[in-house]
Amino acid sequence: MSKKSACFSLKSVANYKLMIALTTLISASPAQAQINVMDIDNQESMGQVTSVNQLSDVSPTDWAYEALRSLVERYGCIVGYPDRTFRGNRALSRYEFAAGLNVCMQSIERLIGTGGVGEEDITALRRLIAEFETELATLGARVDNLEGRVGFLEENQFSTTTKLAGEVAFTLADAFGGDVTNPLTGVREDFNAQATLTSRVRLQMSTSFTGNDVLFTRLTAGNLGNSFGSQTFTDEGRFAYDGQADNNVTLDRLHYYFSLTPKTRVFTMASLGGHHFYADTFNSGLESGGGAGGALSRFGERNPIYRLGLGGQGIGLRQQLGDSFELSAGYLARGGNNPADGRGLFNGNYSAMGQLVFKPSDKFKLGFTYINGYDPNGAGSAFNFGGTGTRFGNLQGLGLNGIPVSSNSYGVQGQLDISPKFSLRAWGGYTNARLIDTGSAEIWNYAAALVFPDLGKEGSLGAIIVGAEPYLTGLTLGGVDQTFTKDTPLHVEVSYKYPINNRISLTPGLIVLTAPNQDSGANDPIYIGTLRTTFSF
């Protein structure tokens, strides 16, 4: 018997029920040895049995009791399921029987040298070896073939520590509307947008050095730009995966995560830092981290306050506190790689976050978030919600350029999975922005989402999202309340991700902006329709 065959049987079969058949064929009558063989699809991890009495579903009255006891006590080749059952009525194939025979052969070979096996058993074993000679040879050939394939993969693989994943998204989209007001000229004009076919490509390498860490290195290219932002004059409704232009390839994500303790995870971000990379955002399936498989819009991915400070360098921490609580904390600095005065990690823009998560069950979780930020409002350091919200909500178009902003943001968000095919999510965010030596501003956002996993097909995802992207509700300058339009800019988004197969999915959807730039009088509703095709490899 070859060592390879024994190794294969131990790893791939380990099904002790066929040991009943082995002992039965050795010591039982021919009538008892008639076994109905069938393929077994599912196998579970088992453990070595040292006494037949450890098997809870085997009793001395069972016809195979003595056979089992013999295998345990004489040959030591019986194993049991984790729940200490034997499940002896389960059928097996000839190949599985041969693999089990192989296991006992190894044990018996060791006993032959010590005289622990009788001549009668040896004769019966020889008969079995002859009967299953073909199957035993096939098992050995399979192992040789597998070892050859593994050797080839090891010699030709990209890296022993790195996994490469790719994603390509084609987006066919168009936007429609009545009139919009150009904030640069103040002139109301016809909404004019053309149908587009755009793309975004990502290649991400995930490297582990210790088995408990991961280094993310991601290359991104695309030609979406700011979606239809130049035509709508607002960041509302921008696609979740836009931002890249002219198909220039950039190294947009460089992160390293590791576990400090079993309950403490550390996240270091040298490029494209974001609070959502280390903190729970309560929107699984739709929260894709900018990937092309989640929500259509940036707003639909998560509470926009998580986007404060997005794009810088920093560190995050996630700490488990018992079974029901989790604490996340982090610090980001846009321009943290720039040593110039007024930049760097601690002398320019920053965003510090703390979040407490309460998760009493697998179906419900609730989070409370606080973010303190500072934006000098210079080049590359302006206050903004990361490509979401109205112009006023991002403190644009108010004559505040160059005025530093110190902000405090508060968020409440939750997720309730009512059933495996229906989930309810909701969030609310409030930001109080202090305009240094000038005044203050109040900004709100909120949303509710109905999510339908496996809608019509396994792997699909339907979603309805209704809310308001960040919009300005109050502005005080020099102690005087300012007058401006405060219409609620509702965002309505409907999408349905349909998987063609495991690698290709189609996502048709529609985004409706009822009062762009929080001004229904100056802007008619805007409709953005899209068909996204995603390829994953």
Side-chain angles (χ1 to χ4, degrees):
M1 180 188 65
S2 72
K3 183 178 180 181
K4 294 179 181 178
S5 297
C7 179
F8 175 82
S9 62
L10 285 169
K11 291 182 178 179
S12 66
V13 179
N15 194 323
Y16 50 82
K17 111 171 122 10
L18 45 81
M19 299 310 174
I20 288 185
L22 175 59
T23 305
T24 301
L25 288 173
I26 292 176
S27 59
S29 66
Q32 292 174 317
Q34 301 303 311
I35 300 175
N36 178 29
V37 294
M38 296 175 60
D39 287 336
I40 299 175
D41 297 326
N42 300 312
Q43 296 174 359
E44 301 179 42
S45 176
M46 307 174 196
Q48 180 65 49
V49 174
T50 58
S51 170
V52 71
N53 295 325
Q54 292 177 294
L55 301 172
S56 62
D57 59 345
V58 175
S59 65
T61 59
D62 293 329
W63 68 268
Y65 180 82
E66 291 300 325
L68 283 171
R69 189 158 67 94
S70 176
L71 282 176
V72 173
E73 296 177 359
R74 296 176 61 187
Y75 303 119
C77 53
I78 283 289
V79 290
Y81 283 96
D83 61 357
R84 291 298 180 182
T85 60
F86 179 69
R87 307 179 196 178
N89 292 323
R90 194 175 178 186
L92 72 157
S93 70
R94 284 179 62 88
Y95 281 116
E96 290 173 321
F97 181 90
L101 173 62
N102 214 11
V103 176
C104 275
M105 284 167 54
Q106 186 181 36
S107 178
I108 291 173
E109 279 182 348
R110 291 194 299 266
L111 293 174
I112 288 177
T114 63
V117 180
E119 185 63 32
E120 182 180 352
D121 286 348
I122 293 176
T123 301
L125 183 62
R126 286 173 178 168
R127 178 168 59 85
L128 286 171
I129 293 174
E131 171 69 19
F132 290 90
E133 181 179 6
T134 301
E135 287 79 8
L136 289 171
T138 300
L139 291 176
R142 286 179 176 178
V143 173
D144 291 337
N145 182 43
L146 288 173
E147 287 186 346
R149 294 170 64 183
V150 169
F152 176 81
L153 291 174
E154 289 179 344
E155 293 175 1
N156 295 275
Q157 66 183 324
F158 168 70
S159 170
T160 58
T161 60
T162 301
K163 293 181 180 180
L164 178 63
E167 182 182 79
V168 176
F170 292 170
T171 302
L172 177 64
D174 202 352
F176 308 89
D179 294 336
V180 293
T181 297
N182 188 329
L184 299 178
T185 63
V187 176
R188 184 176 168 90
E189 57 189 51
D190 290 338
F191 180 76
N192 187 16
Q194 304 300 316
T196 60
L197 177 59
T198 55
S199 63
R200 206 281 305 275
V201 179
R202 273 184 172 170
L203 296 176
Q204 179 167 278
M205 292 171 284
S206 304
T207 305
S208 180
F209 302 96
T210 67
N212 199 28
D213 65 343
V214 60
L215 172 68
F216 290 105
T217 307
R218 188 173 70 191
L219 301 175
T220 301
N223 59 3
L224 279 78
N226 65 356
S227 306
F228 293 100
S230 298
Q231 288 71 42
T232 61
F233 304 114
T234 178
D235 280 336
E236 300 165 85
R238 284 182 57 175
F239 292 139
Y241 45 97
D242 72 5
Q244 299 290 325
D246 302 323
N247 284 318
N248 294 322
V249 179
T250 60
L251 176 62
D252 68 336
R253 183 185 181 189
L254 188 59
H255 295 180
Y256 178 63
Y257 306 161
F258 63 94
S259 293
L260 193 62
T261 71
K263 293 187 176 182
T264 307
R265 190 75 168 167
V266 179
F267 304 75
T268 58
M269 296 163 279
S271 178
L272 191 62
H275 296 302
H276 65 279
F277 285 112
Y278 65 87
D280 195 335
T281 58
F282 305 87
N283 205 16
S284 54
L286 295 177
E287 157 63 287
S288 60
L296 292 177
S297 70
R298 292 185 172 212
F299 178 65
E301 287 188 303
R302 66 188 81 96
N303 190 330
I305 67 171
Y306 290 108
R307 296 182 179 274
L308 293 170
L310 180 64
Q313 292 72 38
I315 188 169
L317 181 75
R318 180 180 283 191
Q319 175 71 47
Q320 298 294 325
L321 303 174
D323 297 330
S324 302
F325 290 92
E326 177 184 275
L327 178 66
S328 297
Y331 178 90
L332 302 173
R334 274 202 314 268
N337 61 325
N338 190 336
D341 187 35
R343 304 300 293 275
L345 287 173
F346 307 110
N347 196 29
N349 166 283
Y350 77 84
S351 175
M353 192 197 83
Q355 175 171 282
L356 180 65
V357 176
F358 174 55
K359 188 177 181 181
S361 72
D362 293 336
K363 296 183 178 181
F364 175 70
K365 54 185 176 179
L366 182 68
F368 303 92
T369 308
Y370 169 70
I371 299 177
N372 175 259
Y374 176 77
D375 299 275
N377 261 353
S381 61
F383 174 88
N384 68 84
F385 285 93
T388 65
T390 69
R391 297 183 75 248
F392 288 170
N394 286 276
L395 301 183
Q396 300 172 6
L398 298 168
L400 303 176
N401 294 340
I403 298 176
V405 177
S406 176
S407 62
N408 293 286
S409 298
Y410 309 86
V412 178
Q413 41 275 324
Q415 178 173 334
L416 174 62
D417 297 330
I418 297 174
S419 74
K421 294 192 175 184
F422 178 56
S423 179
L424 175 64
R425 295 89 183 271
W427 71 73
Y430 167 74
T431 297
N432 181 273
R434 184 167 64 92
L435 312 173
I436 306 299
D437 299 326
T438 303
S440 63
E442 294 184 330
I443 304 164
W444 284 88
N445 88 87
Y446 44 85
L450 305 178
V451 183
F452 307 91
D454 299 330
L455 180 63
K457 183 178 181 180
E458 184 178 358
S460 65
L461 186 70
I464 301 173
I465 304 168
V466 180
E469 300 198 29
Y471 70 108
L472 187 66
T473 60
L475 177 64
T476 300
L477 298 177
V480 179
D481 292 339
Q482 302 298 300
T483 301
F484 56 92
T485 56
K486 302 179 182 180
D487 295 338
T488 302
L490 284 180
H491 171 116
V492 181
E493 179 176 332
V494 180
S495 66
Y496 178 61
K497 175 186 174 183
Y498 181 81
I500 303 299
N501 53 41
N502 291 335
R503 300 296 183 183
I504 304 175
S505 66
L506 297 177
T507 308
L510 176 68
I511 300 172
V512 181
L513 309 176
T514 64
N517 274 325
Q518 61 186 81
D519 190 345
S520 60
N523 302 287
D524 291 331
I526 294 174
Y527 305 87
I528 303 172
T530 182
L531 175 61
R532 182 178 68 196
T533 305
T534 305
F535 306 88
S536 302
F537 54 93

